Amino acid sequence: MTDTTDDAAGGTTGDTRDGTTPSMFPAGRTALIVRIPEAEPVVREWQERIDPATRAGAGVPAHVSVLYPFLPESLIDASVHASIAAALSPHHAFDLRFGRTGRFPGMLYLAPEPDAPLRGLTRAVTERWPEVRPYGGRYEDPVPHLTVAQRAPEADLDAAEADLAARLPLTARVRAVDLVAYDGTAWRERARFLLREPSTRT
């Protein structure tokens, strides 16, 4: 996914670029993501123009990764689904604001604020599966982000960044975490885990 499993995830050290062509996504790779449909009108045109994964048909809808990669799909069964649901059950739906862009080497993204709820979701899952680290443990402090494009020419990233600056901010409501898997040709949703909504009193 350009991000969902691109997720050139971004920490603060080293090269943050991941492969984003279909061949770099082995069949059976999975990820946990939160979809941001509110961002689609803002980022989709640029993704289709300059992001290799999207252009190759391997992208996913606008999202922020919670955990990439997750367990191999061959290891995921009903008990894993139940454990994901249990890990996420204390967490409430929340609002995000995307008011600025950011850059990693070769990559442009939108920065979610606040990012603490996203980090909390990642922490909840990795506490349940401590052997599964974001981006394979390559980054000490991965930065939550919504990928616009990566592995694109710097001039294209500059143009996209200038255009997006005039189209922000945007806001989004995060109500669920999705489990997605790459089947060899595209990323497919396998399950959705709803977050808690505030109770209403009458």
Side-chain angles (χ1 to χ4, degrees):
M1 340 175 164
T2 291
D3 173 357
T4 251
T5 104
D6 79 282
D7 265 18
T12 56
T13 62
D15 189 314
T16 60
R17 292 172 294 178
D18 277 347
T20 55
T21 59
S23 62
M24 298 301 292
F25 296 140
R29 178 161 290 180
T30 69
L32 292 167
I33 67 171
V34 294
R35 297 179 187 265
I36 310 293
E38 296 89 343
E40 288 289 338
V42 177
V43 303
R44 178 54 56 177
E45 179 182 354
W46 282 108
Q47 289 176 333
E48 292 176 347
R49 287 173 59 181
I50 68 174
D51 181 68
T54 301
R55 295 174 66 182
V60 296
H63 67 280
V64 178
S65 290
V66 170
L67 184 57
Y68 168 79
F70 186 48
L71 298 172
E73 189 170 23
S74 61
L75 300 181
I76 296 177
D77 56 16
S79 66
V80 172
H81 284 204
S83 293
I84 296 171
L88 298 176
S89 63
H91 293 264
H92 289 80
F94 55 92
D95 295 320
L96 291 175
R97 182 179 187 273
F98 296 84
R100 63 179 179 87
T101 59
R103 296 281 279 267
F104 300 135
M107 177 177 162
L108 173 67
Y109 66 89
L110 303 185
E113 297 173 331
D115 67 7
L118 295 163
R119 292 177 182 273
L121 295 176
T122 299
R123 186 165 52 251
V125 180
T126 56
E127 285 176 352
R128 171 58 183 82
W129 287 277
E131 73 279 12
V132 182
R133 308 306 301 170
Y135 312 111
R138 284 179 293 164
Y139 310 111
E140 182 178 348
D141 184 27
V143 177
H145 60 282
L146 188 158
T147 300
V148 177
Q150 61 182 350
R151 289 185 177 264
E154 290 296 319
D156 289 343
L157 296 177
D158 291 343
E161 187 169 27
D163 176 68
L164 292 172
R167 304 175 69 180
L168 298 176
L170 66 88
T171 59
R173 179 75 172 170
V174 175
R175 295 183 170 87
V177 174
D178 291 347
L179 172 65
V180 296
Y182 189 67
D183 66 4
T185 58
W187 288 89
R188 312 290 185 186
E189 181 179 313
R190 298 304 193 212
R192 170 163 286 194
F193 304 92
L194 297 179
L195 302 177
R196 298 174 61 187
E197 290 286 355
S199 59
T200 57
R201 297 180 179 179
T202 59

Short mmCIF file of all heavy atoms in Angstrom, two decimals, residues 131-166:
data_model
loop_
_atom_site.label_atom_id
_atom_site.label_comp_id
_atom_site.label_asym_id
_atom_site.label_seq_id
_atom_site.Cartn_x
_atom_site.Cartn_y
_atom_site.Cartn_z
N GLU A 131 6.64 -9.37 19.59
CA GLU A 131 7.60 -9.78 18.55
C GLU A 131 7.35 -9.07 17.23
O GLU A 131 8.20 -9.14 16.31
CB GLU A 131 7.53 -11.30 18.34
CG GLU A 131 6.30 -11.81 17.60
CD GLU A 131 5.06 -11.95 18.49
OE1 GLU A 131 5.07 -11.44 19.63
OE2 GLU A 131 4.08 -12.58 18.02
N VAL A 132 6.22 -8.38 17.12
CA VAL A 132 5.89 -7.69 15.88
C VAL A 132 6.10 -6.19 16.10
O VAL A 132 5.30 -5.54 16.77
CB VAL A 132 4.43 -7.97 15.46
CG1 VAL A 132 4.13 -7.27 14.13
CG2 VAL A 132 4.18 -9.47 15.34
N ARG A 133 7.17 -5.65 15.55
CA ARG A 133 7.51 -4.25 15.75
C ARG A 133 7.18 -3.45 14.50
O ARG A 133 7.32 -3.95 13.37
CB ARG A 133 9.00 -4.10 16.06
CG ARG A 133 9.51 -4.98 17.18
CD ARG A 133 8.70 -4.82 18.45
NE ARG A 133 8.72 -3.44 18.94
CZ ARG A 133 7.95 -2.96 19.90
NH1 ARG A 133 7.06 -3.76 20.49
NH2 ARG A 133 8.06 -1.71 20.29
N PRO A 134 6.74 -2.22 14.67
CA PRO A 134 6.46 -1.39 13.48
C PRO A 134 7.67 -1.32 12.56
O PRO A 134 8.80 -1.10 13.01
CB PRO A 134 6.14 -0.02 14.09
CG PRO A 134 5.67 -0.32 15.48
CD PRO A 134 6.47 -1.51 15.93
N TYR A 135 7.44 -1.58 11.27
CA TYR A 135 8.49 -1.53 10.27
C TYR A 135 9.67 -2.44 10.63
O TYR A 135 10.82 -2.13 10.35
CB TYR A 135 8.95 -0.09 10.05
CG TYR A 135 7.75 0.82 9.87
CD1 TYR A 135 7.42 1.75 10.84
CD2 TYR A 135 6.93 0.70 8.76
CE1 TYR A 135 6.30 2.54 10.71
CE2 TYR A 135 5.81 1.48 8.61
CZ TYR A 135 5.49 2.39 9.59
OH TYR A 135 4.37 3.17 9.45
N GLY A 136 9.33 -3.55 11.27
CA GLY A 136 10.36 -4.51 11.61
C GLY A 136 11.34 -4.04 12.65
O GLY A 136 12.43 -4.60 12.80
N GLY A 137 10.98 -3.00 13.39
CA GLY A 137 11.86 -2.48 14.43
C GLY A 137 12.97 -1.60 13.90
O GLY A 137 13.92 -1.29 14.64
N ARG A 138 12.86 -1.15 12.65
CA ARG A 138 13.94 -0.35 12.07
C ARG A 138 14.03 1.05 12.64
O ARG A 138 15.06 1.69 12.56
CB ARG A 138 13.76 -0.26 10.55
CG ARG A 138 14.13 -1.54 9.82
CD ARG A 138 13.90 -1.39 8.34
NE ARG A 138 12.48 -1.26 8.05
CZ ARG A 138 12.01 -0.81 6.89
NH1 ARG A 138 12.85 -0.38 5.98
NH2 ARG A 138 10.72 -0.76 6.68
N TYR A 139 12.92 1.54 13.19
CA TYR A 139 12.89 2.92 13.68
C TYR A 139 12.55 2.92 15.16
O TYR A 139 11.59 2.29 15.59
CB TYR A 139 11.86 3.74 12.89
CG TYR A 139 12.04 3.59 11.40
CD1 TYR A 139 11.08 2.92 10.64
CD2 TYR A 139 13.16 4.09 10.76
CE1 TYR A 139 11.24 2.76 9.27
CE2 TYR A 139 13.34 3.94 9.41
CZ TYR A 139 12.38 3.26 8.66
OH TYR A 139 12.56 3.10 7.30
N GLU A 140 13.33 3.65 15.91
CA GLU A 140 13.12 3.67 17.35
C GLU A 140 11.79 4.33 17.71
O GLU A 140 11.11 3.90 18.65
CB GLU A 140 14.27 4.44 18.01
CG GLU A 140 14.18 4.49 19.53
CD GLU A 140 15.37 5.20 20.15
OE1 GLU A 140 16.35 5.45 19.43
OE2 GLU A 140 15.30 5.50 21.36
N ASP A 141 11.41 5.35 16.97
CA ASP A 141 10.18 6.09 17.27
C ASP A 141 9.45 6.41 15.98
O ASP A 141 9.52 7.53 15.48
CB ASP A 141 10.51 7.37 18.03
CG ASP A 141 9.27 8.14 18.46
OD1 ASP A 141 8.22 7.49 18.66
OD2 ASP A 141 9.35 9.38 18.59
N PRO A 142 8.74 5.42 15.40
CA PRO A 142 8.05 5.65 14.13
C PRO A 142 7.06 6.81 14.24
O PRO A 142 6.37 6.96 15.25
CB PRO A 142 7.33 4.33 13.87
CG PRO A 142 8.10 3.33 14.67
CD PRO A 142 8.56 4.05 15.89
N VAL A 143 6.98 7.59 13.20
CA VAL A 143 6.14 8.78 13.18
C VAL A 143 4.83 8.46 12.47
O VAL A 143 4.83 8.08 11.29
CB VAL A 143 6.85 9.94 12.45
CG1 VAL A 143 5.93 11.16 12.37
CG2 VAL A 143 8.15 10.29 13.16
N PRO A 144 3.68 8.59 13.14
CA PRO A 144 2.40 8.39 12.44
C PRO A 144 2.28 9.38 11.27
O PRO A 144 2.61 10.56 11.40
CB PRO A 144 1.35 8.67 13.51
CG PRO A 144 2.06 8.38 14.81
CD PRO A 144 3.47 8.85 14.59
N HIS A 145 1.80 8.88 10.13
CA HIS A 145 1.73 9.74 8.95
C HIS A 145 0.77 9.14 7.93
O HIS A 145 0.51 7.93 7.94
CB HIS A 145 3.11 9.89 8.31
CG HIS A 145 3.71 8.59 7.88
ND1 HIS A 145 4.30 7.70 8.77
CD2 HIS A 145 3.78 8.00 6.66
CE1 HIS A 145 4.71 6.63 8.10
NE2 HIS A 145 4.40 6.78 6.83
N LEU A 146 0.28 10.00 7.06
CA LEU A 146 -0.55 9.58 5.93
C LEU A 146 0.26 9.85 4.67
O LEU A 146 0.51 10.99 4.30
CB LEU A 146 -1.87 10.37 5.91
CG LEU A 146 -2.94 9.92 4.91
CD1 LEU A 146 -4.32 10.41 5.37
CD2 LEU A 146 -2.68 10.42 3.49
N THR A 147 0.70 8.78 4.02
CA THR A 147 1.57 8.93 2.86
C THR A 147 0.81 9.50 1.67
O THR A 147 -0.26 9.02 1.31
CB THR A 147 2.17 7.56 2.47
OG1 THR A 147 2.92 7.05 3.57
CG2 THR A 147 3.08 7.69 1.25
N VAL A 148 1.41 10.52 1.07
CA VAL A 148 0.91 11.05 -0.20
C VAL A 148 1.65 10.36 -1.34
O VAL A 148 1.04 9.86 -2.28
CB VAL A 148 1.09 12.57 -0.28
CG1 VAL A 148 0.63 13.09 -1.65
CG2 VAL A 148 0.34 13.27 0.84
N ALA A 149 2.97 10.34 -1.27
CA ALA A 149 3.78 9.68 -2.31
C ALA A 149 5.16 9.43 -1.76
O ALA A 149 5.65 10.15 -0.89
CB ALA A 149 3.86 10.54 -3.56
N GLN A 150 5.78 8.38 -2.30
CA GLN A 150 7.17 8.10 -1.95
C GLN A 150 7.86 7.51 -3.16
O GLN A 150 7.23 7.05 -4.10
CB GLN A 150 7.27 7.18 -0.75
CG GLN A 150 6.65 5.82 -0.94
CD GLN A 150 6.78 4.98 0.33
OE1 GLN A 150 7.46 5.36 1.25
NE2 GLN A 150 6.10 3.85 0.36
N ARG A 151 9.20 7.56 -3.10
CA ARG A 151 10.00 7.12 -4.25
C ARG A 151 9.60 7.87 -5.50
O ARG A 151 9.57 7.32 -6.60
CB ARG A 151 9.91 5.61 -4.44
CG ARG A 151 10.64 4.83 -3.37
CD ARG A 151 10.64 3.33 -3.65
NE ARG A 151 11.40 2.61 -2.64
CZ ARG A 151 12.67 2.25 -2.79
NH1 ARG A 151 13.32 2.56 -3.89
NH2 ARG A 151 13.29 1.60 -1.82
N ALA A 152 9.27 9.12 -5.34
CA ALA A 152 8.93 10.00 -6.46
C ALA A 152 10.04 11.04 -6.60
O ALA A 152 10.74 11.35 -5.63
CB ALA A 152 7.59 10.68 -6.22
N PRO A 153 10.20 11.63 -7.79
CA PRO A 153 11.21 12.68 -7.96
C PRO A 153 10.96 13.83 -7.00
O PRO A 153 9.80 14.19 -6.73
CB PRO A 153 11.02 13.10 -9.42
CG PRO A 153 10.43 11.89 -10.10
CD PRO A 153 9.54 11.27 -9.06
N GLU A 154 12.03 14.42 -6.51
CA GLU A 154 11.88 15.51 -5.55
C GLU A 154 11.07 16.66 -6.12
O GLU A 154 10.31 17.31 -5.40
CB GLU A 154 13.26 16.00 -5.10
CG GLU A 154 14.02 15.02 -4.22
CD GLU A 154 13.31 14.76 -2.90
OE1 GLU A 154 12.79 15.72 -2.30
OE2 GLU A 154 13.29 13.59 -2.46
N ALA A 155 11.22 16.93 -7.42
CA ALA A 155 10.46 18.03 -8.03
C ALA A 155 8.97 17.75 -7.96
O ALA A 155 8.16 18.67 -7.73
CB ALA A 155 10.89 18.24 -9.48
N ASP A 156 8.56 16.49 -8.14
CA ASP A 156 7.15 16.14 -8.04
C ASP A 156 6.66 16.27 -6.60
O ASP A 156 5.54 16.73 -6.36
CB ASP A 156 6.93 14.71 -8.53
CG ASP A 156 7.08 14.57 -10.04
OD1 ASP A 156 7.05 15.59 -10.74
OD2 ASP A 156 7.24 13.42 -10.51
N LEU A 157 7.49 15.85 -5.66
CA LEU A 157 7.10 15.99 -4.25
C LEU A 157 6.98 17.47 -3.87
O LEU A 157 6.07 17.85 -3.13
CB LEU A 157 8.12 15.30 -3.36
CG LEU A 157 8.24 13.78 -3.52
CD1 LEU A 157 9.35 13.25 -2.62
CD2 LEU A 157 6.92 13.08 -3.21
N ASP A 158 7.88 18.29 -4.39
CA ASP A 158 7.80 19.74 -4.12
C ASP A 158 6.50 20.32 -4.65
O ASP A 158 5.83 21.12 -3.97
CB ASP A 158 8.98 20.47 -4.76
CG ASP A 158 10.31 20.15 -4.09
OD1 ASP A 158 10.30 19.64 -2.95
OD2 ASP A 158 11.35 20.41 -4.72
N ALA A 159 6.12 19.93 -5.87
CA ALA A 159 4.89 20.45 -6.48
C ALA A 159 3.67 20.00 -5.69
O ALA A 159 2.74 20.78 -5.44
CB ALA A 159 4.79 19.99 -7.93
N ALA A 160 3.66 18.73 -5.30
CA ALA A 160 2.53 18.22 -4.52
C ALA A 160 2.44 18.93 -3.18
O ALA A 160 1.35 19.30 -2.72
CB ALA A 160 2.69 16.71 -4.32
N GLU A 161 3.57 19.14 -2.54
CA GLU A 161 3.57 19.79 -1.23
C GLU A 161 3.03 21.21 -1.32
O GLU A 161 2.24 21.65 -0.46
CB GLU A 161 4.98 19.79 -0.65
CG GLU A 161 5.06 20.30 0.78
CD GLU A 161 6.40 20.04 1.41
OE1 GLU A 161 7.40 19.95 0.67
OE2 GLU A 161 6.46 19.91 2.65
N ALA A 162 3.42 21.94 -2.35
CA ALA A 162 2.93 23.31 -2.51
C ALA A 162 1.43 23.33 -2.75
O ALA A 162 0.70 24.18 -2.20
CB ALA A 162 3.66 23.98 -3.68
N ASP A 163 0.93 22.40 -3.54
CA ASP A 163 -0.51 22.34 -3.81
C ASP A 163 -1.28 21.96 -2.55
O ASP A 163 -2.31 22.56 -2.23
CB ASP A 163 -0.78 21.32 -4.91
CG ASP A 163 -2.26 21.14 -5.16
OD1 ASP A 163 -2.91 22.07 -5.67
OD2 ASP A 163 -2.80 20.05 -4.83
N LEU A 164 -0.79 20.97 -1.82
CA LEU A 164 -1.50 20.50 -0.63
C LEU A 164 -1.54 21.56 0.46
O LEU A 164 -2.51 21.64 1.22
CB LEU A 164 -0.85 19.23 -0.10
CG LEU A 164 -0.99 17.99 -1.00
CD1 LEU A 164 -0.13 16.86 -0.47
CD2 LEU A 164 -2.44 17.56 -1.11
N ALA A 165 -0.49 22.37 0.54
CA ALA A 165 -0.46 23.40 1.58
C ALA A 165 -1.66 24.33 1.47
O ALA A 165 -2.15 24.84 2.49
CB ALA A 165 0.84 24.20 1.48
N ALA A 166 -2.14 24.52 0.26
CA ALA A 166 -3.28 25.41 0.05
C ALA A 166 -4.61 24.70 0.27
O ALA A 166 -5.66 25.36 0.30
CB ALA A 166 -3.23 25.98 -1.36
#
